[in-house]
Amino acid sequence: MDKTARHLFAALLMMPAWAWPAVDLAAVTERYCTECHNTQDWAGGLDLSSLDPGHVGQHAAEWEKVVLKLRSGMMPPPGNERPSQQDTRAVLQALEQQLDAASGAHAAPPALHRLNRREYANAIRDLFGLEVDVTGLLPQDDASEGFDNVAAGLGISPALVQGYVSASMKLARLAIGDLTTPETTATYQAPVMQAQDRRLDGLPLGSRGGMRIVHYFPVDAEYGFNVRAQFGGGGFGGGG
C-alpha cells in the first residue's frame, strides 16, 4: 500500500458512523480472523473462534486488541486475504459501538470531590490568568494509593473550608487589585555566570543573551523600570 493509499484508508476510517455500511461481524471474523486466532494456533495469544461477536462487551479486552490492530492496518497480516476498506470500516463501527455501550453500562458514575491543591491552582490560572503557588495557602492533600485526586481521599473539614475561604480572599485581591497596596521595588538580577552569547530558554528564537522575567503587577498603575546591562569589560550601562 503506497503513501497515498494509506492516507486515503486512514481518512475513510475516520468517516462518521452514519456513513458506514452494516456488516455481518461473525461472518467477517470467521473468514479473515479465526483461521489463525483459534484454540490450536493461538496467534498473538488471541482466540477469536470461541468468542461471540454478538456480545463483544463480554470479552472487551480481546476485542479491544482487534480494534487496535484493524485501526493500525496490521491485521490481517500482509500476504493474507484482507477485507475491503468498506468492510473494515463496518467491522470497526460494529465493534466500537458495542465496546462503548458495554463500557458505559459498567462504568461507575464519577464521584463528586473537592479540588485538590493542584486542581485549585489550575482553576485560578484558567479563570484569572494568575500563576499562583497555593502550597502556602492550602494544607497538603491526603493521598489514596498514591493519587491525590481520588474522591474518597479528599475529605472536607471545617478547618479545610476555612483555609479555602482564606485563600480565595487573598487570590481575589490579587485578581481584582488592591488600591491600598503600598509602593514596592522588585529587583531581578541575571546570574553572573549565565551565558549571554546564545539563546536562552523562554526567549525568542534568534535572540542572544538577556533574561526572561515573570512579574505580577497588582493594580493598573504607572510603573518605572531601570535596566542596567553589564558589558564585556565589566562596565554597566543604565536605562530608565
Side-chain angles (χ1 to χ4, degrees):
M1 183 182 295
D2 59 23
K3 184 176 181 180
T4 302
R6 288 199 303 271
H7 289 174
L8 177 61
F9 184 59
L12 290 171
L13 291 181
M14 293 187 290
M15 290 177 61
W18 55 263
W20 293 1
V23 68
D24 185 342
L25 184 57
V28 173
T29 303
E30 182 178 359
R31 177 175 179 180
Y32 299 104
C33 306
T34 56
E35 182 179 353
C36 299
H37 299 286
N38 51 58
T39 54
Q40 286 77 34
D41 297 308
W42 203 262
L46 184 62
D47 170 30
L48 298 179
S49 63
S50 58
L51 303 184
D52 182 5
H55 297 84
V56 171
Q58 296 179 359
H59 300 278
E62 288 80 0
W63 290 110
E64 285 281 3
K65 295 179 181 179
V66 175
V67 170
L68 179 62
K69 295 297 184 181
L70 288 176
R71 280 282 179 189
S72 61
M74 298 175 64
M75 288 293 163
N80 289 31
E81 183 183 9
R82 303 172 72 102
S84 65
Q85 295 178 356
Q86 185 180 44
D87 285 343
T88 300
R89 297 195 304 271
V91 168
L92 284 169
Q93 177 199 21
L95 290 176
E96 291 177 346
Q97 284 182 343
Q98 292 194 54
L99 287 170
D100 290 343
S103 63
H106 295 91
L112 294 176
H113 70 276
R114 67 169 176 84
L115 299 179
N116 61 22
R117 292 195 302 185
R118 182 183 298 274
E119 292 168 336
Y120 186 82
N122 290 341
I124 296 299
R125 178 200 62 205
D126 295 341
L127 289 172
F128 304 111
L130 296 177
E131 294 284 352
V132 295
D133 182 6
V134 299
T135 55
L137 300 176
L138 300 173
Q140 185 174 357
D141 298 300
D142 295 328
S144 177
E145 297 185 2
F147 295 93
D148 63 358
N149 59 349
V150 179
L154 293 173
I156 298 178
S157 65
L160 184 63
V161 173
Q162 183 58 42
Y164 272 86
V165 171
S166 177
S168 65
M169 294 174 62
K170 295 178 181 179
L171 294 174
R173 285 195 293 268
L174 287 176
I176 298 174
D178 186 0
L179 297 179
T180 63
T181 301
E183 182 177 330
T184 59
T185 300
T187 302
Y188 299 93
Q189 184 173 354
V192 177
M193 301 303 295
Q194 187 176 52
Q196 295 292 317
D197 58 352
R198 57 183 174 83
R199 188 187 75 85
L200 302 178
D201 290 339
L203 295 179
L205 294 174
S207 63
R208 291 187 299 174
M211 63 183 299
R212 178 175 179 267
I213 300 169
V214 178
H215 180 83
Y216 173 72
F217 296 89
V219 292
D220 290 335
E222 293 185 1
Y223 293 88
F225 298 87
N226 184 35
V227 180
R228 301 184 66 193
Q230 180 176 4
F231 299 106
F236 288 87

